[in-house]
Amino acid sequence: MRPSGTLPLLFTALLGVLAACSPAPAPAPATPAATPAAPRPTPSAPVAQVTIGGEDAAETVERWQPPAVTLVDGEAAQARRDAARAFEEDRLYRSAEDAIPIWLALLERDPKDRVAQAGLKRARQRLLEEASALLDRPLKQREALAQASEMALVLLTLAPDDAKVRELQSRVEIAQRVVAYNRAGEEDLRADRIGEDGDGAIPNFREALALDADNPRARQGLAAAESALIRRAETAARATDFATAGTWLAEAAKVRDSSITIADAFERIENIRSDTLARLRNEGLRDLATPQGLKPARQKLEDALRIALPGDPVVGQLRERIELVTHYGSFRPRQVFSDALRDGGRGPQMIVVPHGGFQMGAAENELGATDAEKPSHYVRFERGFAMSITEVTVADFRRYVQATKARPRATRRGHSIVYDERSGNFVRRSGVDWQSDYNGAEAIANLPVMHVSVRDAENYATWLSEQTGRSYRLPSEAEFEYALRAGSSGRYPWGDAGTPPARAGNFTGAEDVSPSGRHWYNAFVGYGDGYWGPAPVGSFDPNPWGLHDIAGNLSEWVADCWHASYRRAPADGVAWFNPGCRQRVIRGGNWANAPAQTRAAWRQSQDSDTTSARIGFRLVRGI
């Protein structure tokens, strides 16, 4: 709307200044939206079009046209009374019977009519007050603005140079622009053009506030825009797109100073994240309880890692469980268990050996090492395995023999190698088999079974597998040395010290004494374990991984065939086996081995039919 005179040009300049000073839209400035056209009032009184021209421009604006009043000679007094009554009834300008048109007609007839002059002055004052009150009215702004605009047109006709009138007209035009910006912003909101890119609701509401800093409608509009961005953030979060949710929430934080609202929204989004992660964890754990659940559980972990913050404990739980299942199935490292047998008994106690890798064999310059223990090479186990905590006992082996009516090698052959106390040597003696001790006497139940061949040990593993439904076998040579070292890398299973720690195991100690008073010629100086011959299983401290007697007591059969070196040895720890081979491997020191044969890398070839008081075995089981 344009009044008269030079005001339109001044207003256009003012608009440019305000637009230039308005706040920049979030997040980054873009090409500004076209300024919305101010709404035009629809005055009840007649309106004329007037062209205001200048040297460089011409502009058409609306003007108020007073209704025509016809005065008859001699009726001026009555006209004055009619105008006064209309003024009292607040009928000011809409028709020819209203106060201002009558007073204007009187002044046109007599420019010095003081009553008319005073009346118009009071009318202008009342219009100024009423229009100002309308502009300040918080409700029904559209109707109020239309009325105020109409009054301003009337006032501009009556007093175009009055400073108060011009101030009112300026307020009207600003209010019209504020309404236009607010209306445009609300239309943008309904169309979901929020304006975070610089074109939409937010810039419109900011333009309105640049004109009227306390405008409640514009402030409510910005609050609605902020809420719309927050809804976008929450929608993205529910779709597990938390990166986008964070972007929308950051845009919402730029709209206005509403830290509490943003903090509440952030908390809601984080709750959505937490609930989503808990759901993925629980679904992943349920997957892991099924036979083929590892792959879908890993997918759940991948989804969780994509949306989780660093160090999230819920994701850590799922990752840890997947790691455990990957490397240990349904077990945990160091877990102790025994399988039930079909005959009602229990199998040997087993312990889960941690997965990992180690350097197998002897170092190039290791004292006492042989070429058969080289080259040193790295072996890694991607999956853990279970190993019997002790060597298989006489009682364990008896259950197998009785159940299968088996006749192990020494029983069929009728003899085995025992220690002869009288000569101090190992000799072949008749009548000795798996039921015998190191000297041929009857063995007690909890001694490690000895006088068994490698095939006797494998047959026992086959029977145990049938009894339990699990896969038992002899350990590979790599598995044995890995478990023997238990994370160490020294010359001996306990490290590089030349004397074993107290209670480390049953070795040839210089302090050991035979029943007839013999001492070992080649032994660990200063060490004594109290046994001449094998000790009952579990008599000494376990190694760091919970295994008893793996470094001593008896040397043990492993699954590998003998190879004269580790060249081309498997790197994954499986047994190096050639079908039909007769030369097999024993590992680990025993009660009658020299110190050099108690080293961690020591290995020896034995015929597969060998039975001896120095050789036993233990088993491993897949998990």
Side-chain angles (χ1 to χ4, degrees), residues 429-497:
R429 183 171 296 169
S430 298
V432 175
D433 68 0
W434 64 271
Q435 303 172 88
S436 305
D437 201 342
Y438 77 103
N439 55 7
E442 183 178 356
I444 60 176
N446 64 341
L447 275 177
V449 68
M450 57 199 96
H451 306 295
V452 289
S453 70
V454 68
R455 291 193 174 88
D456 294 333
E458 290 170 338
N459 290 337
Y460 171 78
T462 299
W463 171 80
L464 192 60
S465 300
E466 293 169 351
Q467 281 285 307
T468 61
R470 305 295 181 180
S471 178
Y472 284 87
R473 56 179 173 79
L474 288 176
S476 70
E477 189 174 0
E479 287 170 334
F480 190 95
E481 185 175 333
Y482 177 64
L484 172 74
R485 290 185 181 274
S488 70
S489 58
R491 184 180 182 217
Y492 295 102
W494 55 85
D496 290 319

Side-chain angles (χ1 to χ4, degrees), residues 311-334:
D312 188 281
V314 173
V315 177
Q317 292 171 7
L318 181 57
R319 181 195 286 113
E320 179 183 359
R321 192 69 189 94
I322 288 175
E323 286 290 312
L324 287 172
V325 171
T326 300
H327 300 302
Y328 304 104
S330 59
F331 293 89
R332 291 182 176 273
R334 319 288 175 84

Side-chain angles (χ1 to χ4, degrees), residues 501-525:
R503 296 191 51 77
N506 184 7
F507 311 118
T508 53
E511 307 298 321
D512 293 335
V513 182
S514 77
S516 63
R518 294 181 181 275
H519 290 268
W520 296 111
Y521 173 72
N522 185 9
F524 289 107
V525 176

Side-chain angles (χ1 to χ4, degrees), residues 13 21 28 50 119 172 241 264 269 272 298 301 323 347 394 432 516 609:
C21 297
V50 177
V172 167
D241 187 356
D264 289 344
I269 288 173
I272 294 172
R298 284 175 173 159
L301 176 61
E323 286 290 312
V394 172
V432 175
S516 63
D609 281 343

Side-chain angles (χ1 to χ4, degrees), residues 226-250:
E226 177 188 81
S227 296
L229 290 172
I230 290 173
R231 283 195 300 275
R232 286 185 182 180
E234 292 176 348
T235 298
R238 282 189 287 272
T240 71
D241 187 356
F242 288 91
T244 299
T247 299
W248 288 129
L249 195 58

Side-chain angles (χ1 to χ4, degrees), residues 40 112 226 250 263 342 577:
R40 296 288 186 183
K112 296 181 179 181
E226 177 188 81
R342 286 191 302 179
F577 187 82

Side-chain angles (χ1 to χ4, degrees), residues 159-392:
D161 298 323
D162 188 303
K164 291 183 178 180
V165 171
R166 289 196 171 266
E167 180 186 358
L168 175 66
Q169 178 63 12
S170 177
R171 287 182 62 195
V172 167
E173 293 199 3
I174 289 174
Q176 288 174 334
R177 294 176 63 202
V178 168
V179 167
Y181 279 125
N182 282 335
R183 189 178 302 165
E186 289 158 1
E187 290 175 358
D188 285 332
L189 280 180
R190 286 190 289 272
D192 200 36
R193 295 188 297 270
I194 299 177
E196 73 285 348
D197 57 354
D199 183 13
I202 294 172
N204 277 314
F205 291 129
R206 284 184 171 150
E207 290 288 358
L209 288 171
L211 295 170
D212 181 3
D214 296 321
N215 186 264
R217 185 174 174 184
R219 290 189 176 279
Q220 290 171 3
L222 282 183
E226 177 188 81
S227 296
L229 290 172
I230 290 173
R231 283 195 300 275
R232 286 185 182 180
E234 292 176 348
T235 298
R238 282 189 287 272
T240 71
D241 187 356
F242 288 91
T244 299
T247 299
W248 288 129
L249 195 58
E251 292 298 332
K254 300 175 185 176
V255 174
R256 62 194 186 111
D257 184 13
S258 54
S259 58
I260 295 177
T261 304
I262 299 301
D264 289 344
F266 178 80
E267 183 176 354
R268 290 195 300 274
I269 288 173
E270 286 308 301
N271 286 338
I272 294 172
R273 190 199 304 268
S274 297
D275 292 344
T276 304
L277 291 175
R279 174 180 58 80
L280 288 170
R281 176 200 60 192
N282 295 338
E283 290 176 356
L285 294 177
R286 284 196 294 272
D287 288 337
L288 291 175
T290 64
Q292 304 299 323
L294 189 56
K295 183 176 180 180
R298 284 175 173 159
Q299 182 60 54
K300 302 291 192 312
L301 176 61
E302 183 178 334
D303 294 341
L305 288 170
R306 179 175 54 81
I307 66 176
L309 298 176
D312 188 281
V314 173
V315 177
Q317 292 171 7
L318 181 57
R319 181 195 286 113
E320 179 183 359
R321 192 69 189 94
I322 288 175
E323 286 290 312
L324 287 172
V325 171
T326 300
H327 300 302
Y328 304 104
S330 59
F331 293 89
R332 291 182 176 273
R334 319 288 175 84
Q335 181 177 340
V336 176
F337 68 95
S338 66
D339 289 322
L341 306 180
R342 286 191 302 179
D343 64 10
R346 307 291 303 187
Q349 268 204 328
M350 312 292 290
I351 190 167
V352 177
V353 175
H355 84 286
F358 78 115
Q359 200 68 24
M360 183 177 180
E364 191 60 37
N365 59 351
E366 183 175 311
L367 184 64
T370 67
D371 290 341
E373 300 164 7
K374 302 173 184 177
S376 175
H377 58 289
Y378 184 74
V379 175
R380 180 164 185 83
F381 299 95
E382 293 300 333
R383 191 172 176 87
F385 54 90
M387 178 175 274
S388 49
I389 293 176
T390 69
E391 294 147 330
V392 173

